[in-house]
Amino acid sequence: MKSRRIFLQKAGLSALALNISTFNPISAMPNFLDSKKMDEKPLRVAIMGLGSYGTRVAEAIQETKRTKLVGVISGTPSKVEAWKTKYGIPAKNCYNYENFDAIKDNPDIDAVYVITPNGLHKDQVIRVAKAGKHAICEKPMAVNAADGQAMVDACKAAGVHLLIGYRMHFEANTLEVIRMRKAGEFGTPLFFQGLSGFIIGDPSQWRLQKSLSGGGAMMDIGIYSINGARYMLGEDPIWVTAQETKNNPEKFKEGIDETIQFQMGFPSGAVASCLSTYSMNNLDRFFLNGTKGWAEMQPSTGYGPINGKTNQGPLDKPHTTHQAVQMDEMAAIIFDGKKPEVPVNGEEGVKDMKIIDAIFKAVKTGEKVSLKLA
Ligand code: NAD
C-alpha cells in the first residue's frame, strides 16, 4: 500500500512536470484511479463567479477523484458559453445571478462554490442554502462576523454544509508542522510571526472598493496570517492590538487598509506578531517558535510548492494542487462526515471574521481589544 501511494505521488508529480500529451503515467497505470472515480458518487459542483480564482478551481476539479464541475452561475453569457464547451456543462445547469434560486429544482447539482467578490458572499450563500444546496464559499467568508454568522445560521436552518475555501488546511507541509506541534516536537509554542502581502495593481478593481471587498489587504491577504496563527499555534486569540500605516491614501481610500501590523495574544501566553499589506511584494512567511524547536515556511500560503524547514530539517512533503486536494477533502466531509485536521466549516470562518472586526476596532481606537471566539 505504501509503495503504491509513493508511486501515485510520483506519478502525479510526473504528470505535472511532463508534457501530458506525450506521456501520461496516470493513464498508463492499472485502472486504479478510474475505478475509484466510478465507484464513488462525485460531489457535483456549480461554480459561481467565473473569474481568476474560479478558473483555477475549475481546472483543479479536473484533477480530483471525487468532485465534478457540472454547473456555472455567471453574469457574463460569453464566459458561460466558453465554460460549457470547455467542461461539457449542460445548458440546464447554467444560471445567472438573477435566476440561480431555481437551482433548488435541479437534482444534478449538489453544491455551489461561491467565488465572487467578498461583499457578495453573504447574500449568495444564503440563497444557495435556501435552494437546499451545500455551500462552499471563498475566504473571507463575509465582510464582518455578523454577516458570517448569518450565513452559518442560514445553512444550519437549511440542513446544508457551509465550507470555507481554506485550502492550506489540507496542504501536506502545513499539516506536517501541525503534526509536529501537536506531538510536542517544538515544545511549548510561544511565538508566531505571519507576514502576508503583495503589491496590488489596478486601483479600479473590486478589491479596492469597500462595498465589494469589505476592506483592503486584511480581508484579502492578511487573513492568511490570522488563520495561520491559529492553526500553527493551535489556539484562538483572546486579544488583539493593531496599527495602520497608510502611505498612499489616494489609492487606498477610507475603509481600505493598505498596511496593518497586528499582534495577538493567546490563552497559553503565546503571542503573534503579523503584517498585512497591499504595498510590499514577496511577503508570504510563517515562523513558529517553541521552547524546543521552530518551523519556518516561505512561501507559506501561496499556491505552492510550500517551502520550509524546522529545527529537525526540511519540510519535504510533495506538492499537490491545493484546490484539488481541498475539493476531494470537502467531498469526504460532505459525504462521509470526515472531520478535517483543521476545520473548514462556517464557524471557523466566523472566528477569522471576529478577529478582523477586532483588528479594525483596535486600529480605530488604539486600544487592546478583547476577543471571545468560542
Ligand atoms: P476576480 O475579480 O478574478 O473574479 C470575481 C468574479 O466575480 C468575476 O468573474 C466577476 O465577473 C464576478 N462578479 C460577480 N459580481 C460581481 C460584481 N458585482 N463586481 C465584480 N465582480 C463580480 O476575483 P478572484 O480573484 O477570483 O476572487 C474571488 C474570490 O475568491 C474572493 O473572495 C477572493 O478573496 C477569493 N480568492 C481566494 C483565493 C484562495 O487562494 N483561496 C485566491 C484568490 C481569490
Side-chain angles (χ1 to χ4, degrees), residues 48-57 73-76 79 83 97 113-121 124 137-142 164-168 205-207 209 212-213 219-221 223-224 278 301-303 322-323 326:
M48 183 186 301
L50 314 182
S52 138
Y53 198 64
T55 301
R56 186 176 287 273
V57 170
I73 297 129
S74 168
T76 315
K79 283 192 204 166
W83 282 49
Y97 294 107
Y113 196 158
V114 174
I115 318 185
T116 53
N118 315 336
L120 307 177
H121 293 176
Q124 290 169 341
C137 179
E138 257 320 309
K139 49 56 58 180
M141 73 183 296
I164 313 302
Y166 286 128
R167 60 189 162 77
M168 300 315 297
Q205 64 185 285
W206 67 260
R207 280 181 166 80
Q209 295 168 34
L212 287 170
S213 61
M219 286 284 175
D220 194 28
I221 191 81
I223 191 170
Y224 284 96
Y278 263 160
T301 65
Y303 297 140
H322 296 176
Q323 296 79 8
Q326 173 200 315

Side-chain angles (χ1 to χ4, degrees), residues 197-217:
F198 65 95
I199 296 178
I200 195 154
D202 178 11
S204 69
Q205 64 185 285
W206 67 260
R207 280 181 166 80
L208 298 175
Q209 295 168 34
K210 169 95 169 154
S211 61
L212 287 170
S213 61

Side-chain angles (χ1 to χ4, degrees), residues 218 222 225-226 241-242 260-264 272-276 359:
M218 184 62 65
S225 276
I226 292 171
T241 48
I260 293 180
Q261 312 87 257
F262 60 100
Q263 304 77 37
M264 298 186 278
S273 172
C274 304
L275 181 74
S276 157
I359 288 171

Side-chain angles (χ1 to χ4, degrees), residues 18-73:
L18 295 173
N19 180 340
I20 294 178
S21 65
T22 53
F23 174 66
N24 184 347
I26 290 182
S27 65
M29 282 166 49
N31 62 0
F32 174 73
L33 291 179
D34 283 350
S35 63
K36 214 171 151 51
K37 252 185 194 152
M38 281 188 286
D39 286 350
E40 286 176 328
K41 173 180 174 307
L43 180 70
R44 297 164 305 172
V45 179
I47 291 184
M48 183 186 301
L50 314 182
S52 138
Y53 198 64
T55 301
R56 186 176 287 273
V57 170
E59 284 298 298
I61 286 176
Q62 311 312 311
E63 283 180 45
T64 63
K65 302 184 189 75
R66 225 181 154 182
T67 66
K68 205 166 173 226
L69 175 61
V70 298
V72 291
I73 297 129

